[in-house]
Amino acid sequence: MDYIDPNTREALHEQKLARLKLTRKRLLEQPTPDTRPHKKRSPSPGGSSPSPSSSPSTSPSSVSSKRKSDEAKNEDIDTPQTKKARGKHGIIQKHWYAPVPNAIITPQHAFWAPFPDGPILSDTELAEAAAKLPMITDDDIAALDAMDHSDLYTRSSEEKYVYPPTPEKKDLLKVFKDSKQEAHNGAAKGTIHKDLQEAPVTTSPKDLTEARFTSASQVLTSATSANIKDLKKAQESPKKATTSSATQAHNGAVSSTVQQDLNEAHIMDISEESSKTPKQEVRNKDSIFTTTIDLTSSPTTSETSSAAVTNTDMEATQSAKALPLDSTTYIPDEKQTLSPEEEQLEADIANLAKRVEETRIEKEKYPRGPNKFDSNNRYVKARYAYKAKLREKDRIQKIKAEEEERRIAEEERIERERIEKEQARLRAEKEAEEKRQKELEEANKKKAEEEALRKKEEQRLAKAQGKKEWELLRKSGDEVVGPGKVWIKPEITGTYQPPIREPDPDDGLGWEYEPFMLNNGLIVSLDEDMDAKIDEALSHRSHTSVLAKTVEGVELTRRDFAKLLDGRGWSQGEYAHWLNDELVNAWFASICAKLNENAGYVKGPNAIPPFVAYSSAWLKTFKDKGPSGLATWSRRKGIKNEKLLQANKIFFPVNPGGHWTLLVISPKDRTIEYLDSLHGNNDPYFRMARDWLKMELGAKYVAGEWTEMETASASQRNSTDCGMFTCMNGLALAKGFEEPWRVVNQVSIPFARRMMAAVLLNGGFSGPFNI
Amino acid sequence: MSDAGSGSPMNKPEEPAQSEHLNIKVTDNNNEVFFKIKRTTQLKKLMDAFCERQGKSPQSVRFLFDGTRVNPTDNPESLDMQDGDTLEVHQEQIGGC
């Protein structure tokens, strides 16, 4: 029901207009002055006033006909609404909320009823209540408002609407209020009669002047442009004298509070009536409207009649001039003037009584509450306002939500962009890193290729060098062996078969290419007897059986010979062909013994042996006790102290563990030699030799005299023959070969082994092995 | 008897001159063993005693006295040993590379 569709609204409007017209017609037809409804505004079918706060007591006619207001009220116009509204006491109440036709009060609205001063509801409750209400659009509200207003301010179907006071009007009214206060002060001085209504008509105009002035000054402020329009209209057509402005002015003059709504409808009615009793003069003087109004609108109202007012007083004119608006000057009827306080009091009392009565009637009439379909109902208004507020709130919330959404979306977009940017940056970094890696790899590859090329070139050069060396060796072999001799390929006889390694084309120096000539002055071929002797020795099965005795008297067993010739078959777990200290020491002892013998050395207290061999145990003692550990050794050898300087060669077989090398000191030549078939570091042994010499010689040792020789040994090409190289290098040095590598090399070792075995079995260099 | 008699007059004149017994230290730089032996006692006894005491094979050790190899048949007299001399004991040394 709350929703009123436009057609219905139109129909309602038409209906209201029709009723209004009918009412007006009836009013006009009623000649009875008592029932003239000028003092009360004509009840409109809608029953709504533009402002609910307006009170009927403020209407101008209510002042003039105050004393019979009750009768007038009783005999108000009969309309369907007024009939309905007629209360218990027969008083027609202008109830606040006249029902809209066809309205239905729903139970949902009823709860507003007990609160005439407004719903004592919390916002939450109000919201809940409002939520229960059906939806009413803004259009509906606007339509209702427009409908009511048009209803109220319509004079007739032909006439124009008169609208409620505009904001400018309100301002004027405010100004008027202030000026009225001043006027009231003036009246208190006694310039105005106390009771103007009882004052004689014959009051001199002069006396009246001031009062007139004061009231005029009050009145003029309330004269609005709309009134002026009316006045002008009245000038043109005097028959339609505009009592409206005058009435209004008077109203303003006498009432303490000028209401916003000046009850135009009322005025309208009055003006129509007053047109029938034209007792007003409108004069124009100095282009200022000076209106003389006889407020005795009806002939029967004698009390307020014949108030002929002339504006002859210049003061009034001047005051009118001074006023902000050029308007009519109204001179009120002295008879009607009451003391403002009294009037105010009366009006207030009446107003209060009326309101009380209205409220009572209203409550009786609408026990469940006021009509909720009156758009002027303050509850309804509040509800609409609340709805509008809610809608506004919703709208704002919606806008805010949209803004928030937009903001979030924007933030998300920014965040997304940032992430994308970051990802792009990371990608770029990764790509750069990959590129760098690739470049690095390429560079490394290039480098490796270059390195490979370089190595190949080096190998090629080495090969060429190897060939060159081979030629050299060949030539030197020729020199050593002598011209006309033929290089022979080593033919291995006996049980020992040396491993034959294929020549390596890369190094170009396979050991089988090394030139070696048997019987080169060092290594001799064995005759059949010696071969037989070796074979016989090796035929012993017990490794403890003594096969030979060295020059030192040490017994050499089958086990020792196994290390020399056929190692692996004899004692499992031992290194094949690794010589032990017995063999090495026996060998050097044999060499020295033979050479000393050749040199004619006979052991004696003062004899000095030219060749001396230290036991290979010297190194351990040296390391344990230092050079002084060997101090007693030299005495036994016969080379104590400076005597050693006369020795030819002193052999120091070196075995630091797992490897045989040879340190040779030649005191006569003042040289120190170190021969290593693996070409290890010489320096530690040179230092040891010097320490030993220093210990032995003492002050006779002059470091600068001693030279460290870079005597080269041939390279061993396996991991077994270092002992043989040591022994053979020693023999070569002992025999005076300055370059042992020329006569002892890897090819010669198998022969050397057999020769060594033969020598040891022989008990030293004797017989066939003459050095 | 004749052997002993002939042997003793040869040795006896020397013994009083020097001393009948010798204190010999045998060391392999980790262990030191002191032996009191006669001058004419074959050093084989001493060597075997040392090897037995140290739990070593006689073939794997070499006894040196002042850098000279000591054979089992040697005695202090033949080696001209003095009281308090030291016999060094060395392990067998091998080498191939």
PDB file of all heavy atoms in Angstrom, chain A residues 552 559 579-582 616 621 624 632 636 655 658-660 722, chain B residues 29 62 65-67 69 71 79-80 88 90 92-97:
ATOM      1  N   GLU A 552     133.059 -59.400   3.982  1.00  0.00           N
ATOM      2  CA  GLU A 552     132.951 -59.027   5.389  1.00  0.00           C
ATOM      3  C   GLU A 552     132.650 -60.237   6.261  1.00  0.00           C
ATOM      4  O   GLU A 552     132.582 -60.095   7.483  1.00  0.00           O
ATOM      5  CB  GLU A 552     131.811 -58.003   5.583  1.00  0.00           C
ATOM      6  CG  GLU A 552     132.132 -56.615   5.033  1.00  0.00           C
ATOM      7  CD  GLU A 552     130.984 -55.634   5.247  1.00  0.00           C
ATOM      8  OE1 GLU A 552     129.828 -55.984   4.885  1.00  0.00           O
ATOM      9  OE2 GLU A 552     131.235 -54.549   5.770  1.00  0.00           O
ATOM     10  N   ARG A 559     117.681 -66.956   0.300  1.00  0.00           N
ATOM     11  CA  ARG A 559     116.673 -65.883   0.363  1.00  0.00           C
ATOM     12  C   ARG A 559     117.198 -64.585  -0.225  1.00  0.00           C
ATOM     13  O   ARG A 559     116.498 -63.888  -0.964  1.00  0.00           O
ATOM     14  CB  ARG A 559     116.284 -65.676   1.826  1.00  0.00           C
ATOM     15  CG  ARG A 559     115.246 -64.605   2.053  1.00  0.00           C
ATOM     16  CD  ARG A 559     114.861 -64.577   3.523  1.00  0.00           C
ATOM     17  NE  ARG A 559     114.019 -63.408   3.811  1.00  0.00           N
ATOM     18  CZ  ARG A 559     114.508 -62.229   4.129  1.00  0.00           C
ATOM     19  NH1 ARG A 559     115.815 -62.046   4.200  1.00  0.00           N
ATOM     20  NH2 ARG A 559     113.691 -61.243   4.397  1.00  0.00           N
ATOM     21  N   LEU A 579     116.218 -55.467  -3.910  1.00  0.00           N
ATOM     22  CA  LEU A 579     117.440 -55.857  -3.209  1.00  0.00           C
ATOM     23  C   LEU A 579     117.337 -55.486  -1.734  1.00  0.00           C
ATOM     24  O   LEU A 579     116.700 -54.504  -1.375  1.00  0.00           O
ATOM     25  CB  LEU A 579     118.661 -55.163  -3.828  1.00  0.00           C
ATOM     26  CG  LEU A 579     118.913 -55.394  -5.322  1.00  0.00           C
ATOM     27  CD1 LEU A 579     120.304 -54.871  -5.678  1.00  0.00           C
ATOM     28  CD2 LEU A 579     118.812 -56.862  -5.674  1.00  0.00           C
ATOM     29  N   ASN A 580     118.018 -56.300  -0.924  1.00  0.00           N
ATOM     30  CA  ASN A 580     118.072 -55.952   0.498  1.00  0.00           C
ATOM     31  C   ASN A 580     119.470 -55.433   0.853  1.00  0.00           C
ATOM     32  O   ASN A 580     120.378 -55.384   0.016  1.00  0.00           O
ATOM     33  CB  ASN A 580     117.633 -57.142   1.363  1.00  0.00           C
ATOM     34  CG  ASN A 580     118.616 -58.288   1.292  1.00  0.00           C
ATOM     35  OD1 ASN A 580     119.636 -58.192   0.605  1.00  0.00           O
ATOM     36  ND2 ASN A 580     118.332 -59.366   1.996  1.00  0.00           N
ATOM     37  N   ASP A 581     119.602 -55.019   2.087  1.00  0.00           N
ATOM     38  CA  ASP A 581     120.844 -54.372   2.509  1.00  0.00           C
ATOM     39  C   ASP A 581     122.034 -55.342   2.500  1.00  0.00           C
ATOM     40  O   ASP A 581     123.179 -54.925   2.291  1.00  0.00           O
ATOM     41  CB  ASP A 581     120.650 -53.769   3.906  1.00  0.00           C
ATOM     42  CG  ASP A 581     120.181 -54.801   4.914  1.00  0.00           C
ATOM     43  OD1 ASP A 581     119.589 -55.811   4.483  1.00  0.00           O
ATOM     44  OD2 ASP A 581     120.391 -54.607   6.121  1.00  0.00           O
ATOM     45  N   GLU A 582     121.763 -56.641   2.679  1.00  0.00           N
ATOM     46  CA  GLU A 582     122.852 -57.606   2.646  1.00  0.00           C
ATOM     47  C   GLU A 582     123.545 -57.586   1.293  1.00  0.00           C
ATOM     48  O   GLU A 582     124.790 -57.509   1.197  1.00  0.00           O
ATOM     49  CB  GLU A 582     122.310 -59.018   2.906  1.00  0.00           C
ATOM     50  CG  GLU A 582     121.635 -59.221   4.251  1.00  0.00           C
ATOM     51  CD  GLU A 582     122.619 -59.402   5.391  1.00  0.00           C
ATOM     52  OE1 GLU A 582     123.676 -58.750   5.371  1.00  0.00           O
ATOM     53  OE2 GLU A 582     122.328 -60.182   6.309  1.00  0.00           O
ATOM     54  N   SER A 616     124.788 -49.506   4.863  1.00  0.00           N
ATOM     55  CA  SER A 616     123.582 -48.739   4.566  1.00  0.00           C
ATOM     56  C   SER A 616     122.828 -48.345   5.836  1.00  0.00           C
ATOM     57  O   SER A 616     121.895 -47.545   5.792  1.00  0.00           O
ATOM     58  CB  SER A 616     122.659 -49.555   3.660  1.00  0.00           C
ATOM     59  OG  SER A 616     122.260 -50.736   4.330  1.00  0.00           O
ATOM     60  N   THR A 621     121.316 -44.334  11.778  1.00  0.00           N
ATOM     61  CA  THR A 621     122.103 -43.810  12.886  1.00  0.00           C
ATOM     62  C   THR A 621     122.258 -42.305  12.790  1.00  0.00           C
ATOM     63  O   THR A 621     122.162 -41.581  13.782  1.00  0.00           O
ATOM     64  CB  THR A 621     123.495 -44.473  12.879  1.00  0.00           C
ATOM     65  OG1 THR A 621     123.326 -45.898  12.889  1.00  0.00           O
ATOM     66  CG2 THR A 621     124.301 -44.068  14.097  1.00  0.00           C
ATOM     67  N   ASP A 624     119.070 -40.837  13.761  1.00  0.00           N
ATOM     68  CA  ASP A 624     118.764 -40.971  15.184  1.00  0.00           C
ATOM     69  C   ASP A 624     119.683 -40.112  16.045  1.00  0.00           C
ATOM     70  O   ASP A 624     119.248 -39.443  16.978  1.00  0.00           O
ATOM     71  CB  ASP A 624     118.932 -42.430  15.603  1.00  0.00           C
ATOM     72  CG  ASP A 624     117.814 -43.307  15.057  1.00  0.00           C
ATOM     73  OD1 ASP A 624     116.793 -42.724  14.609  1.00  0.00           O
ATOM     74  OD2 ASP A 624     117.950 -44.542  15.060  1.00  0.00           O
ATOM     75  N   THR A 632     132.381 -42.842  15.466  1.00  0.00           N
ATOM     76  CA  THR A 632     133.229 -44.010  15.741  1.00  0.00           C
ATOM     77  C   THR A 632     133.433 -44.892  14.515  1.00  0.00           C
ATOM     78  O   THR A 632     134.296 -45.763  14.510  1.00  0.00           O
ATOM     79  CB  THR A 632     132.600 -44.836  16.858  1.00  0.00           C
ATOM     80  OG1 THR A 632     131.271 -45.181  16.492  1.00  0.00           O
ATOM     81  CG2 THR A 632     132.603 -44.072  18.173  1.00  0.00           C
ATOM     82  N   ARG A 636     137.028 -47.292  12.486  1.00  0.00           N
ATOM     83  CA  ARG A 636     137.060 -48.675  12.029  1.00  0.00           C
ATOM     84  C   ARG A 636     137.441 -48.768  10.546  1.00  0.00           C
ATOM     85  O   ARG A 636     138.096 -49.713  10.122  1.00  0.00           O
ATOM     86  CB  ARG A 636     135.678 -49.317  12.211  1.00  0.00           C
ATOM     87  CG  ARG A 636     135.260 -49.489  13.661  1.00  0.00           C
ATOM     88  CD  ARG A 636     135.865 -50.731  14.269  1.00  0.00           C
ATOM     89  NE  ARG A 636     135.725 -50.743  15.744  1.00  0.00           N
ATOM     90  CZ  ARG A 636     136.229 -51.670  16.531  1.00  0.00           C
ATOM     91  NH1 ARG A 636     136.953 -52.676  16.035  1.00  0.00           N
ATOM     92  NH2 ARG A 636     136.070 -51.614  17.826  1.00  0.00           N
ATOM     93  N   ASN A 655     119.259 -45.821   1.961  1.00  0.00           N
ATOM     94  CA  ASN A 655     117.921 -46.395   1.877  1.00  0.00           C
ATOM     95  C   ASN A 655     117.031 -45.756   2.944  1.00  0.00           C
ATOM     96  O   ASN A 655     116.995 -46.175   4.090  1.00  0.00           O
ATOM     97  CB  ASN A 655     117.968 -47.903   2.086  1.00  0.00           C
ATOM     98  CG  ASN A 655     116.610 -48.533   1.823  1.00  0.00           C
ATOM     99  OD1 ASN A 655     115.592 -47.866   1.904  1.00  0.00           O
ATOM    100  ND2 ASN A 655     116.608 -49.812   1.503  1.00  0.00           N
ATOM    101  N   GLY A 658     112.479 -48.276   1.286  1.00  0.00           N
ATOM    102  CA  GLY A 658     111.815 -48.648   0.028  1.00  0.00           C
ATOM    103  C   GLY A 658     112.546 -48.218  -1.215  1.00  0.00           C
ATOM    104  O   GLY A 658     112.128 -48.552  -2.321  1.00  0.00           O
ATOM    105  N   HIS A 659     113.628 -47.509  -1.060  1.00  0.00           N
ATOM    106  CA  HIS A 659     114.302 -47.020  -2.269  1.00  0.00           C
ATOM    107  C   HIS A 659     115.807 -46.961  -2.007  1.00  0.00           C
ATOM    108  O   HIS A 659     116.257 -46.550  -0.940  1.00  0.00           O
ATOM    109  CB  HIS A 659     113.759 -45.632  -2.623  1.00  0.00           C
ATOM    110  CG  HIS A 659     114.320 -45.094  -3.903  1.00  0.00           C
ATOM    111  ND1 HIS A 659     114.337 -45.828  -5.068  1.00  0.00           N
ATOM    112  CD2 HIS A 659     114.868 -43.895  -4.202  1.00  0.00           C
ATOM    113  CE1 HIS A 659     114.883 -45.095  -6.023  1.00  0.00           C
ATOM    114  NE2 HIS A 659     115.222 -43.918  -5.524  1.00  0.00           N
ATOM    115  N   TRP A 660     116.527 -47.417  -3.021  1.00  0.00           N
ATOM    116  CA  TRP A 660     117.987 -47.375  -2.918  1.00  0.00           C
ATOM    117  C   TRP A 660     118.546 -46.260  -3.769  1.00  0.00           C
ATOM    118  O   TRP A 660     118.183 -46.112  -4.930  1.00  0.00           O
ATOM    119  CB  TRP A 660     118.595 -48.699  -3.386  1.00  0.00           C
ATOM    120  CG  TRP A 660     118.406 -49.854  -2.434  1.00  0.00           C
ATOM    121  CD1 TRP A 660     117.566 -50.909  -2.589  1.00  0.00           C
ATOM    122  CD2 TRP A 660     119.103 -50.063  -1.209  1.00  0.00           C
ATOM    123  NE1 TRP A 660     117.652 -51.768  -1.543  1.00  0.00           N
ATOM    124  CE2 TRP A 660     118.611 -51.273  -0.663  1.00  0.00           C
ATOM    125  CE3 TRP A 660     120.075 -49.354  -0.498  1.00  0.00           C
ATOM    126  CZ2 TRP A 660     119.064 -51.796   0.541  1.00  0.00           C
ATOM    127  CZ3 TRP A 660     120.532 -49.879   0.684  1.00  0.00           C
ATOM    128  CH2 TRP A 660     120.021 -51.084   1.210  1.00  0.00           C
ATOM    129  N   CYS A 722     115.850 -50.159  -8.565  1.00  0.00           N
ATOM    130  CA  CYS A 722     116.661 -49.063  -8.024  1.00  0.00           C
ATOM    131  C   CYS A 722     117.909 -49.594  -7.307  1.00  0.00           C
ATOM    132  O   CYS A 722     118.975 -48.973  -7.361  1.00  0.00           O
ATOM    133  CB  CYS A 722     115.820 -48.218  -7.084  1.00  0.00           C
ATOM    134  SG  CYS A 722     115.275 -49.094  -5.623  1.00  0.00           S
TER     135      CYS A 722
ATOM    136  N   ASN B  29     117.615 -48.609  19.368  1.00  0.00           N
ATOM    137  CA  ASN B  29     117.121 -47.231  19.507  1.00  0.00           C
ATOM    138  C   ASN B  29     115.755 -47.158  20.170  1.00  0.00           C
ATOM    139  O   ASN B  29     115.281 -46.077  20.480  1.00  0.00           O
ATOM    140  CB  ASN B  29     117.084 -46.513  18.156  1.00  0.00           C
ATOM    141  CG  ASN B  29     117.512 -45.067  18.303  1.00  0.00           C
ATOM    142  OD1 ASN B  29     118.224 -44.734  19.246  1.00  0.00           O
ATOM    143  ND2 ASN B  29     117.098 -44.236  17.379  1.00  0.00           N
ATOM    144  N   ARG B  62     120.382 -56.861  11.789  1.00  0.00           N
ATOM    145  CA  ARG B  62     121.811 -56.785  11.579  1.00  0.00           C
ATOM    146  C   ARG B  62     122.417 -56.084  12.783  1.00  0.00           C
ATOM    147  O   ARG B  62     121.933 -55.029  13.206  1.00  0.00           O
ATOM    148  CB  ARG B  62     122.139 -55.986  10.312  1.00  0.00           C
ATOM    149  CG  ARG B  62     121.824 -56.664   8.997  1.00  0.00           C
ATOM    150  CD  ARG B  62     120.385 -56.443   8.597  1.00  0.00           C
ATOM    151  NE  ARG B  62     120.061 -56.908   7.243  1.00  0.00           N
ATOM    152  CZ  ARG B  62     119.594 -58.122   7.009  1.00  0.00           C
ATOM    153  NH1 ARG B  62     119.422 -59.017   7.952  1.00  0.00           N
ATOM    154  NH2 ARG B  62     119.265 -58.431   5.769  1.00  0.00           N
ATOM    155  N   PHE B  65     128.711 -52.923  14.905  1.00  0.00           N
ATOM    156  CA  PHE B  65     129.564 -52.326  15.926  1.00  0.00           C
ATOM    157  C   PHE B  65     130.470 -51.329  15.256  1.00  0.00           C
ATOM    158  O   PHE B  65     131.312 -51.680  14.422  1.00  0.00           O
ATOM    159  CB  PHE B  65     130.392 -53.424  16.640  1.00  0.00           C
ATOM    160  CG  PHE B  65     131.415 -52.866  17.596  1.00  0.00           C
ATOM    161  CD1 PHE B  65     131.004 -52.097  18.697  1.00  0.00           C
ATOM    162  CD2 PHE B  65     132.770 -53.087  17.417  1.00  0.00           C
ATOM    163  CE1 PHE B  65     131.953 -51.591  19.571  1.00  0.00           C
ATOM    164  CE2 PHE B  65     133.707 -52.574  18.307  1.00  0.00           C
ATOM    165  CZ  PHE B  65     133.294 -51.825  19.383  1.00  0.00           C
ATOM    166  N   ASP B  66     130.235 -50.082  15.556  1.00  0.00           N
ATOM    167  CA  ASP B  66     130.957 -48.977  14.922  1.00  0.00           C
ATOM    168  C   ASP B  66     130.890 -49.077  13.405  1.00  0.00           C
ATOM    169  O   ASP B  66     131.888 -48.918  12.682  1.00  0.00           O
ATOM    170  CB  ASP B  66     132.427 -48.957  15.368  1.00  0.00           C
ATOM    171  CG  ASP B  66     132.554 -48.435  16.798  1.00  0.00           C
ATOM    172  OD1 ASP B  66     131.528 -47.937  17.345  1.00  0.00           O
ATOM    173  OD2 ASP B  66     133.627 -48.527  17.371  1.00  0.00           O
ATOM    174  N   GLY B  67     129.752 -49.414  12.924  1.00  0.00           N
ATOM    175  CA  GLY B  67     129.549 -49.423  11.475  1.00  0.00           C
ATOM    176  C   GLY B  67     130.053 -50.678  10.822  1.00  0.00           C
ATOM    177  O   GLY B  67     129.947 -50.823   9.599  1.00  0.00           O
ATOM    178  N   ARG B  69     129.825 -54.755  10.374  1.00  0.00           N
ATOM    179  CA  ARG B  69     128.893 -55.841  10.573  1.00  0.00           C
ATOM    180  C   ARG B  69     129.471 -56.852  11.557  1.00  0.00           C
ATOM    181  O   ARG B  69     130.641 -57.235  11.462  1.00  0.00           O
ATOM    182  CB  ARG B  69     128.621 -56.530   9.222  1.00  0.00           C
ATOM    183  CG  ARG B  69     127.597 -57.631   9.249  1.00  0.00           C
ATOM    184  CD  ARG B  69     126.215 -57.083   9.614  1.00  0.00           C
ATOM    185  NE  ARG B  69     125.240 -58.155   9.663  1.00  0.00           N
ATOM    186  CZ  ARG B  69     124.475 -58.525   8.652  1.00  0.00           C
ATOM    187  NH1 ARG B  69     124.558 -57.868   7.514  1.00  0.00           N
ATOM    188  NH2 ARG B  69     123.624 -59.524   8.786  1.00  0.00           N
ATOM    189  N   ASN B  71     129.409 -60.469  12.887  1.00  0.00           N
ATOM    190  CA  ASN B  71     129.006 -61.830  12.517  1.00  0.00           C
ATOM    191  C   ASN B  71     128.828 -62.665  13.773  1.00  0.00           C
ATOM    192  O   ASN B  71     129.413 -62.363  14.825  1.00  0.00           O
ATOM    193  CB  ASN B  71     130.070 -62.455  11.618  1.00  0.00           C
ATOM    194  CG  ASN B  71     130.125 -61.749  10.287  1.00  0.00           C
ATOM    195  OD1 ASN B  71     129.093 -61.530   9.663  1.00  0.00           O
ATOM    196  ND2 ASN B  71     131.330 -61.372   9.872  1.00  0.00           N
ATOM    197  N   LEU B  79     136.693 -58.082  17.726  1.00  0.00           N
ATOM    198  CA  LEU B  79     136.162 -56.776  17.284  1.00  0.00           C
ATOM    199  C   LEU B  79     136.802 -55.624  18.067  1.00  0.00           C
ATOM    200  O   LEU B  79     136.457 -54.462  17.846  1.00  0.00           O
ATOM    201  CB  LEU B  79     134.651 -56.729  17.455  1.00  0.00           C
ATOM    202  CG  LEU B  79     133.855 -57.616  16.496  1.00  0.00           C
ATOM    203  CD1 LEU B  79     132.368 -57.593  16.841  1.00  0.00           C
ATOM    204  CD2 LEU B  79     134.043 -57.158  15.055  1.00  0.00           C
ATOM    205  N   ASP B  80     137.698 -56.012  19.001  1.00  0.00           N
ATOM    206  CA  ASP B  80     138.381 -54.973  19.788  1.00  0.00           C
ATOM    207  C   ASP B  80     137.368 -54.109  20.559  1.00  0.00           C
ATOM    208  O   ASP B  80     137.377 -52.878  20.519  1.00  0.00           O
ATOM    209  CB  ASP B  80     139.252 -54.109  18.871  1.00  0.00           C
ATOM    210  CG  ASP B  80     140.228 -53.256  19.659  1.00  0.00           C
ATOM    211  OD1 ASP B  80     140.439 -53.571  20.862  1.00  0.00           O
ATOM    212  OD2 ASP B  80     140.748 -52.295  19.095  1.00  0.00           O
ATOM    213  N   GLU B  88     124.725 -51.735  17.767  1.00  0.00           N
ATOM    214  CA  GLU B  88     123.504 -51.206  17.170  1.00  0.00           C
ATOM    215  C   GLU B  88     122.779 -52.316  16.460  1.00  0.00           C
ATOM    216  O   GLU B  88     123.405 -53.140  15.775  1.00  0.00           O
ATOM    217  CB  GLU B  88     123.818 -50.101  16.158  1.00  0.00           C
ATOM    218  CG  GLU B  88     124.340 -48.828  16.800  1.00  0.00           C
ATOM    219  CD  GLU B  88     124.692 -47.782  15.750  1.00  0.00           C
ATOM    220  OE1 GLU B  88     124.302 -47.955  14.574  1.00  0.00           O
ATOM    221  OE2 GLU B  88     125.365 -46.814  16.116  1.00  0.00           O
ATOM    222  N   HIS B  90     120.019 -53.081  13.648  1.00  0.00           N
ATOM    223  CA  HIS B  90     119.291 -52.480  12.522  1.00  0.00           C
ATOM    224  C   HIS B  90     118.382 -53.499  11.878  1.00  0.00           C
ATOM    225  O   HIS B  90     118.677 -54.678  11.846  1.00  0.00           O
ATOM    226  CB  HIS B  90     120.280 -51.939  11.480  1.00  0.00           C
ATOM    227  CG  HIS B  90     121.018 -50.726  11.949  1.00  0.00           C
ATOM    228  ND1 HIS B  90     120.590 -49.444  11.769  1.00  0.00           N
ATOM    229  CD2 HIS B  90     122.185 -50.625  12.646  1.00  0.00           C
ATOM    230  CE1 HIS B  90     121.436 -48.602  12.293  1.00  0.00           C
ATOM    231  NE2 HIS B  90     122.449 -49.303  12.849  1.00  0.00           N
ATOM    232  N   GLU B  92     116.349 -55.104   8.602  1.00  0.00           N
ATOM    233  CA  GLU B  92     116.655 -55.325   7.196  1.00  0.00           C
ATOM    234  C   GLU B  92     116.097 -54.179   6.382  1.00  0.00           C
ATOM    235  O   GLU B  92     115.006 -53.675   6.645  1.00  0.00           O
ATOM    236  CB  GLU B  92     116.031 -56.645   6.737  1.00  0.00           C
ATOM    237  CG  GLU B  92     116.394 -56.985   5.303  1.00  0.00           C
ATOM    238  CD  GLU B  92     115.620 -58.188   4.775  1.00  0.00           C
ATOM    239  OE1 GLU B  92     114.531 -58.485   5.315  1.00  0.00           O
ATOM    240  OE2 GLU B  92     116.086 -58.814   3.831  1.00  0.00           O
ATOM    241  N   GLN B  93     116.876 -53.778   5.385  1.00  0.00           N
ATOM    242  CA  GLN B  93     116.425 -52.702   4.503  1.00  0.00           C
ATOM    243  C   GLN B  93     116.235 -53.283   3.116  1.00  0.00           C
ATOM    244  O   GLN B  93     117.078 -54.013   2.613  1.00  0.00           O
ATOM    245  CB  GLN B  93     117.476 -51.591   4.433  1.00  0.00           C
ATOM    246  CG  GLN B  93     117.668 -50.843   5.741  1.00  0.00           C
ATOM    247  CD  GLN B  93     118.840 -49.891   5.658  1.00  0.00           C
ATOM    248  OE1 GLN B  93     119.965 -50.321   5.369  1.00  0.00           O
ATOM    249  NE2 GLN B  93     118.604 -48.626   5.895  1.00  0.00           N
ATOM    250  N   ILE B  94     115.127 -52.940   2.506  1.00  0.00           N
ATOM    251  CA  ILE B  94     114.937 -53.329   1.117  1.00  0.00           C
ATOM    252  C   ILE B  94     114.490 -52.101   0.343  1.00  0.00           C
ATOM    253  O   ILE B  94     114.015 -51.116   0.915  1.00  0.00           O
ATOM    254  CB  ILE B  94     113.893 -54.464   0.963  1.00  0.00           C
ATOM    255  CG1 ILE B  94     112.561 -54.064   1.598  1.00  0.00           C
ATOM    256  CG2 ILE B  94     114.407 -55.767   1.567  1.00  0.00           C
ATOM    257  CD1 ILE B  94     111.415 -54.938   1.171  1.00  0.00           C
ATOM    258  N   GLY B  95     114.690 -52.201  -0.942  1.00  0.00           N
ATOM    259  CA  GLY B  95     114.248 -51.064  -1.755  1.00  0.00           C
ATOM    260  C   GLY B  95     114.156 -51.459  -3.205  1.00  0.00           C
ATOM    261  O   GLY B  95     114.901 -52.306  -3.680  1.00  0.00           O
ATOM    262  N   GLY B  96     113.214 -50.870  -3.878  1.00  0.00           N
ATOM    263  CA  GLY B  96     113.033 -51.206  -5.285  1.00  0.00           C
ATOM    264  C   GLY B  96     112.706 -49.989  -6.138  1.00  0.00           C
ATOM    265  O   GLY B  96     112.984 -49.972  -7.326  1.00  0.00           O
ATOM    266  N   CYS B  97     112.126 -49.011  -5.503  1.00  0.00           N
ATOM    267  CA  CYS B  97     111.760 -47.876  -6.348  1.00  0.00           C
ATOM    268  C   CYS B  97     111.931 -46.574  -5.593  1.00  0.00           C
ATOM    269  O   CYS B  97     112.319 -46.578  -4.454  1.00  0.00           O
ATOM    270  CB  CYS B  97     110.310 -47.997  -6.801  1.00  0.00           C
ATOM    271  SG  CYS B  97     109.138 -48.009  -5.460  1.00  0.00           S
TER     272      CYS B  97
END
